[in-house]
Amino acid sequence: MLKKGEGGVVLRHLIKQPLSVDELRVLAAKLGGPKELIAPKRRAEAGTLDGDKLLAWLAADGARVRRPIIVAGKTATVGFPTATQDGWEKIL
């Protein structure tokens, strides 16, 4: 279930409602590839998966996906690194 937050922000609990392969494919295109979507603690589990196999693996469990994900128009950011936080300020 998507939940509308303040200011028109849409919130989604990715553990309870994982992203589909198609949704992940769109995000991966905005972020530079599907490997950018892997949660840091899950990288070893992903092993050598790539492309559609990696997207299917990510779609099977929302906890495997790096969070938070912020999408505004054609721009997307993931995670908490300082560079990402700076990106939030530009897109929000």
Side-chain angles (χ1 to χ4, degrees):
M1 179 173 146
L2 299 179
K3 182 178 177 184
K4 202 121 193 188
E6 290 183 33
V9 174
V10 177
L11 306 174
R12 180 172 176 175
H13 193 293
L14 297 183
I15 306 302
K16 293 179 182 178
Q17 187 181 8
L19 296 168
S20 69
V21 171
D22 289 336
E23 290 172 313
L24 289 164
R25 187 175 285 115
V26 170
L27 277 173
K30 291 180 181 187
L31 296 168
K35 291 189 181 206
E36 299 299 320
L37 292 168
I38 304 170
K41 292 181 180 180
R42 300 296 187 104
R43 288 189 180 134
E45 289 177 45
T48 59
L49 292 175
D50 202 6
D52 287 341
K53 288 183 180 182
L54 178 55
L55 292 172
W57 181 79
L58 290 166
D61 182 353
R64 296 173 177 165
V65 178
R66 190 170 185 184
R67 302 174 305 276
I69 299 171
I70 298 177
V71 179
K74 295 181 180 181
T75 306
T77 63
V78 293
F80 288 107
T82 302
T84 299
Q85 292 174 25
D86 292 342
W88 294 347
E89 292 176 12
K90 292 176 186 172
I91 65 174
L92 293 177

